[in-house]
Amino acid sequence: MKKNDFIIFILFCLILLPTGVSVQKQLILTSPNNKLKTFINVGKTVEYSLLHNGDVMLDKSAISMTLDDGSFYGKNGKLLRSSEKKVNQTFNVRIYKRQQIKDYYNELILEFKDYHIIFRAYDEGIAYRFVSLAKKPFKIMAEQAEFNFPADQKAFINYTNKPETAPLEKQFFNSFEQPYFHYPLSEWNKKRLAINPLLVEGVKGKKLCIAESDLINYPGMFLYPGDKSNSLKGVFAPYPKEVQQGGHNNLQMLIKSRENFVAQFDKGTDFPWRIIIISEKDSDLTDSDIVYKLATPSQGDYSWVKPGKVAWDWWNDWNLYNVNFKTGVNNETYRYYIDFAAQYGIEYVILDEGWAVNKKADLFQVVPEINLPELIAYANSKKVGLILWAGYYAFDRDMEAVCKHYSEMGIKGFKVDFMDRDDQIIVDFHRRGAAMASKYKLLIDYHGTYKPTGLQRTYPNVINFEGVNGLEQMKWADHLDQVTYDVTIPFIRQIAGPMDYTQGAMRNATKDNFKSVDSEAMSQGTRCRQLAEYIVFESPLNMLCDSPSNYMAETECTEFIAKVPTIWDQTIALDGEVAKYVAIARKKGDDWYMGALTNWDARTVELDLSFLGKGNFKGEVFKDGINANRVAKDYKKEVIDIPANRKLTVSMASGGGYVIKITKK
C-alpha cells in the first residue's frame, strides 16, 4: 500500500470504525486506477464506505438479507476468509454500442459459512452482491441496502407514476415512465417511491448513480429515504400472493394481496448486483458499460438475431393519406407499411395492439380484418420481417404454443407489453419469455416494463426495453417537458441499457406551439432533435414512430433515419451536462455519426473530434434552420469539411439538435 493510501486508510478507520471491531476485519478494495477506495467493515454487521480521490461519496452503509429461519446474510456472521483477485480482460459483443468491452476490475470475496459477499471495484464504480450457498429451500424476508450520503445533496428523482394518494405498496404496480424531479434529498416526497437508476450530485461536480444488474429471479429495487438523514434505502416488492386477471384490456395480472417475504428459492442462488457509479464528468455517464459487464453472459448461438428499424403503426394511429383504401387494422394498411419499409430498407413492420381480438387475452384469435399468412407472405416477398404486439397475460398463458405457432408461420418476434411490475414473479417471467423466444428464434421487445438490468447480455434476442417516458407521452401529456427529459435520460436511464423510446416524429413543435394530440401526434423540439435521437439514444430495435405518408413527404430526413445503424462498433462520449445538453459519437464500419441535443436553451458548443485521427474528412450535416425557433421543422442539410484542428462548432436552436455523418474524403 502506498504511503498516501495508508494514511487515508488509517484516518478512515479512526473515524468510522465501530467500537469493538478489530482492525483485522477492516478491508479495503481499490479500483484499477486507484481513484476509488471501498472500505468494508465486517463485524456484527457488514458496512461499506466509498471514497473517490479522498472525497467521501458514501458514508458507512449497511447491507444484509433476512431469511425466513431468522438467520441473516451480512449480520452476526463469522468471516471465514477473504480473497482478492484482479481481472483484466476484453470480450467481444455484437448487439451493443461497441464491439469490444474492456472488463477491468479488482474483486474481493468475503466467505461466510452459508453465503459469500462479492465486491468489485471498477474505475467507473463499485458493485456488490450476495451469493447464497443454501442446499434447501429458503425465503428472503427483507433486504437491507443502504446508501448514506455525507451531506444533503441534490438528486434527480424518478418517482413511480402513481399519485401521492396511493400507498407505497400500491406503487409497486406502475409503468416505470416518469420525468425527473431535481431537488435535495431532504425534500424527497415521502409519499413516493423512486425508480433506479437514480443520480445524486456529490462534491466537486462529481455524480453518484445507483443502479443494479443481473436481475434474473429477484424483485427490482426501488429507492426511498432511509432511517438516517441524507440517506436512501432499497425497497422491494413483496411476493404476490393473490393475483387476478384484469387491467388494460384484461391483459394484466393485478395484485390482490402479497406475502410477507420478497423472494423464495429452492436452493442457493446469486443475487443481483447493487451498483454505485462515480463520474467526474457528466459525459462519462453517457458511456457506462458497468450494468452490461456485470450481467450473466449468454450461452449458445445468437448469430441469428437481427437488429434494425421498425415501421410502427400505433403512434401515428394508422393514419395514411393519398391512398385509395380505408386505413386501420387491416391487410391493405399493413401492405402499405410493408411497401414503405421495403422502399427505405427498413427491416421490420410491427402489428401493434389491435390485430388480436380485444379483451380475450388470446393470441390465437385474430381479428377478421387481418389475414396473417397473406401478410407474412407479402412481407417475405419484400424482405421485410413482421413483429407482433402481445399483452403480458396473453403471452404468458400460452407461451410455448404461441412462440412455436408464430415462429413456424414466419413471425420474427414479439413486442410484449403491460407487465408494469418488477416483483419476483414478473422478473422471472422476463427470463422465461426470453428463453422461450430464443428456443424458437424470436426477437423480444419488452415494452410496459421496468428498466433493463443486463438481460440483453444473457439473452441477446431480448433486443429492447421500455422503462422510459418516451415519445408516446406526447399524444396525451401537455404538461410534460419532454425536451429537458431527453437531455436527462442519457446520463441516468440509459446507463441501465437500451430504450424503446420510439422517436422519429415529422410533426415538430416549439415550446409555445406544442399541444398534445392523440391521432396526429407531434414532438416537442426541432426536426433535427428527432434525427439526433437515433444516435444519442441506444436502441438496437429502433422505431420509426410516424406515418409512412409523413415520411415519404420528407424524403431527405427519412433516408437519413433509415440508414442510421442501430448497433455500433465504437462509442465516444463527447460532452454534456445533465438536463442541459449531450453530444455522443458512434462508429459503424468506416463512418462516424455524431448526435447532439440541447434543452430549451439555444446553445453553441465546440466538440473535439480528434478521435478521427489522421486524414481528410467530410461531414453530411443536418442542423437546425435559421427559423427553427419559430417553425420547429425548419432545418438545413449541408456538406462540410471537418476542420484540420478537429474542433467542430455546433449550434442548436431552443429544443434543438444536430447530426453529422463523417466519412473519409
Side-chain angles (χ1 to χ4, degrees):
M1 184 181 293
K2 296 178 181 178
K3 182 178 179 181
N4 288 343
D5 291 348
F6 182 75
I7 293 171
I8 292 173
F9 174 70
I10 293 299
L11 289 175
F12 210 72
C13 290
L14 291 173
I15 295 170
L16 300 177
L17 188 63
T19 303
V21 178
S22 65
V23 172
Q24 286 74 18
K25 293 185 180 179
Q26 274 272 335
L27 302 106
I28 182 170
L29 180 65
T30 304
S31 61
N33 65 5
N34 291 315
K35 289 186 176 183
L36 277 173
K37 299 186 187 304
T38 308
F39 294 86
I40 303 162
N41 295 330
V42 182
K44 189 174 181 180
T45 62
V46 175
E47 298 171 322
Y48 72 101
S49 309
L50 182 60
L51 276 72
H52 181 273
N53 275 347
D55 297 320
V56 178
M57 304 303 294
L58 281 180
D59 279 334
K60 277 193 309 180
S61 300
I63 59 173
S64 70
M65 288 181 155
T66 305
L67 279 63
D68 55 327
D69 64 359
S71 64
F72 298 91
Y73 297 157
K75 286 185 180 180
N76 304 319
K78 181 181 179 182
L79 179 62
L80 301 179
R81 66 186 63 85
S82 64
S83 59
E84 294 187 51
K85 69 175 181 180
K86 298 180 183 294
V87 174
N88 187 331
Q89 62 185 2
T90 300
F91 60 88
N92 296 324
V93 290
R94 187 169 74 88
I95 306 172
Y96 195 56
K97 60 187 175 185
R98 54 174 50 89
Q99 284 188 327
Q100 286 193 328
I101 294 179
K102 295 179 180 179
D103 197 22
Y104 300 170
Y105 61 87
N106 296 330
E107 183 174 272
L108 174 64
I109 302 177
L110 309 180
E111 298 183 28
F112 299 84
K113 179 182 177 183
D114 300 317
Y115 65 96
H116 294 168
I117 305 176
I118 304 174
F119 282 86
R120 284 187 185 174
Y122 296 83
D123 288 344
E124 62 184 302
I126 69 153
Y128 73 86
R129 82 184 318 172
F130 286 89
V131 176
S132 171
L133 307 178
K135 299 292 194 296
K136 59 182 182 180
F138 68 100
K139 295 181 176 69
I140 297 297
M141 307 304 291
E143 178 182 345
Q144 181 184 29
E146 288 184 351
F147 307 93
N148 296 325
F149 299 93
D152 184 17
Q153 297 162 192
K154 277 191 169 184
F156 289 86
I157 303 169
N158 185 208
Y159 293 124
T160 64
N161 60 326
K162 290 290 185 179
E164 292 185 16
T165 54
L168 293 182
E169 180 185 286
K170 298 294 184 183
Q171 295 182 38
F172 294 128
F173 190 97
N174 79 101
S175 68
F176 301 89
E177 304 168 326
Q178 272 290 85
Y180 292 92
F181 296 87
H182 184 215
Y183 42 64
L185 292 170
S186 60
E187 296 180 21
W188 188 295
N189 184 343
K190 294 189 177 180
K191 296 179 180 180
R192 309 291 295 275
L193 294 172
I195 301 161
N196 82 77
L198 185 142
L199 193 67
V200 180
E201 297 176 354
V203 299
K204 300 176 183 175
K206 299 176 185 179
K207 302 291 193 300
L208 181 150
C209 186
I210 300 169
E212 60 184 332
S213 182
D214 217 25
L215 192 65
I216 298 292
N217 187 24
Y218 193 82
M221 181 173 68
F222 294 86
L223 292 162
Y224 187 74
D227 300 328
K228 303 174 183 177
S229 61
N230 311 320
S231 175
L232 295 176
K233 65 180 179 181
V235 178
F236 305 87
Y239 194 90
K241 183 177 183 180
E242 298 175 280
V243 295
Q244 178 179 310
Q245 183 185 357
H248 177 78
N249 289 335
N250 282 329
L251 293 170
Q252 298 175 285
M253 296 301 288
L254 308 180
I255 308 298
K256 309 306 291 183
S257 65
R258 295 182 182 273
E259 301 283 3
N260 64 346
F261 58 88
V262 299
Q264 58 184 356
F265 302 92
D266 293 331
K267 60 180 182 179
T269 188
D270 293 351
F271 293 97
W273 290 99
R274 308 286 170 230
I275 305 171
I276 300 94
I277 301 166
I278 305 295
S279 68
E280 295 182 78
K281 298 187 302 180
D282 287 8
S283 58
D284 292 342
L285 294 164
T286 67
D287 194 24
S288 174
D289 292 319
I290 195 167
V291 170
Y292 192 92
K293 287 189 287 194
L294 287 164
T296 299
S298 62
Q299 301 293 322
D301 177 22
Y302 285 90
S303 60
W304 55 271
V305 176
K306 182 182 178 183
K309 302 264 180 24
V310 186
W312 185 35
D313 51 5
W314 179 86
W315 194 82
N316 57 76
D317 202 23
W318 298 266
N319 284 329
L320 304 173
Y321 48 88
N322 297 329
V323 297
N324 58 4
F325 57 88
K326 202 162 189 176
T327 62
V329 180
N330 56 51
N331 271 37
E332 291 88 348
T333 298
Y334 283 115
R335 285 169 69 96
Y336 195 92
Y337 277 80
I338 291 165
D339 288 341
F340 162 69
Q343 179 180 342
Y344 285 95
I346 295 164
E347 291 84 354
Y348 300 101
V349 168
I350 191 166
L351 279 67
D352 211 283
E353 186 173 13
W355 68 271
V357 176
N358 193 26
K359 297 188 177 180
K360 297 296 183 181
D362 184 351
L363 295 176
F364 294 106
Q365 294 191 40
V366 182
V367 297
E369 295 83 3
I370 294 291
N371 184 324
L372 268 180
E374 179 185 289
L375 272 184
I376 293 169
Y378 187 72
N380 287 342
S381 74
K382 299 282 188 172
K383 295 182 170 52
V384 174
L386 296 185
I387 294 172
L388 299 178
W389 183 93
Y392 153 59
Y393 180 64
F395 186 76
D396 192 29
R397 67 185 292 193
D398 297 309
M399 186 185 290
E400 180 151 23
V402 164
C403 289
K404 183 176 187 296
H405 173 73
Y406 285 108
S407 174
E408 290 173 351
M409 281 185 69
I411 292 297
K412 303 303 181 185
F414 283 95
K415 174 183 175 181
V416 187
D417 203 351
F418 284 104
M419 284 70 75
D420 291 341
R421 293 159 38 199
D422 68 350
D423 51 63
Q424 187 183 23
I425 288 177
I426 286 289
V427 170
D428 184 57
F429 159 76
H430 284 71
R431 179 198 59 79
R432 292 188 295 106
M436 188 63 70
S438 174
K439 178 179 177 180
Y440 292 98
K441 290 186 166 48
L442 293 167
L443 303 178
I444 291 289
D445 173 12
Y446 280 131
H447 207 71
T449 192
Y450 57 91
K451 81 283 173 187
T453 60
L455 189 66
Q456 71 275 23
R457 182 181 181 192
T458 311
Y459 294 96
N461 61 309
V462 180
I463 204 163
N464 218 351
F465 302 79
E466 193 182 19
V468 66
N469 198 72
L471 200 70
E472 68 182 34
Q473 304 291 329
M474 297 296 92
K475 288 167 72 73
W476 55 73
D478 274 327
H479 65 283
L480 286 178
D481 180 355
Q482 195 73 8
V483 160
T484 302
Y485 182 78
D486 289 346
V487 290
T488 305
I489 50 175
F491 303 90
I492 308 176
R493 161 59 182 86
Q494 193 162 272
I495 286 173
M499 306 185 298
D500 195 8
Y501 177 95
T502 65
Q503 59 268 45
M506 293 291 105
R507 297 185 72 217
N508 317 111
T510 64
K511 190 173 188 178
D512 293 334
N513 292 342
F514 173 79
K515 64 178 180 178
S516 59
V517 179
D518 180 64
S519 184
E520 292 190 84
M522 65 182 75
S523 69
Q524 293 179 2
T526 70
R527 170 69 56 78
C528 288
R529 180 181 204 82
Q530 291 296 300
L531 302 185
E533 287 177 349
Y534 283 95
I535 299 164
V536 174
F537 296 164
E538 294 169 27
S539 185
L541 192 69
N542 214 336
M543 304 284 173
L544 280 77
C545 70
D546 218 324
S547 162
S549 298
N550 289 342
Y551 284 125
M552 287 188 285
E554 299 281 358
T555 304
E556 204 168 54
C557 293
T558 303
E559 287 178 346
F560 177 82
I561 291 172
K563 292 176 182 177
V564 173
T566 65
I567 58 173
W568 306 92
D569 299 338
Q570 191 175 347
T571 289
I572 296 175
L574 295 178
D575 200 1
E577 189 174 343
V578 182
K580 293 185 178 180
Y581 71 102
V582 61
I584 296 176
R586 305 188 193 274
K587 186 181 184 184
K588 186 68 174 179
D590 295 328
D591 301 332
W592 282 93
Y593 294 76
M594 191 281 291
L597 306 172
T598 184
N599 57 10
W600 288 115
D601 296 329
R603 191 180 306 274
T604 298
V605 294
E606 185 179 78
L607 300 178
D608 182 0
L609 305 185
S610 58
F611 58 83
L612 292 173
K614 296 180 180 179
N616 297 318
F617 295 85
K618 65 179 180 179
E620 178 186 76
V621 172
F622 286 81
K623 65 181 184 180
D624 295 326
I626 194 168
N627 293 307
N629 63 317
R630 298 168 61 88
V631 181
K633 68 180 181 180
D634 185 33
Y635 74 91
K636 182 178 181 181
K637 180 184 177 183
E638 62 184 11
V639 176
I640 65 170
D641 290 329
I642 302 301
N645 66 0
R646 299 295 187 257
K647 303 297 182 183
L648 180 67
T649 300
V650 170
S651 294
M652 294 175 280
S654 171
Y658 183 99
V659 169
I660 183 170
K661 178 184 178 182
I662 303 172
T663 56
K664 246 184 178 177
K665 295 175 70 173

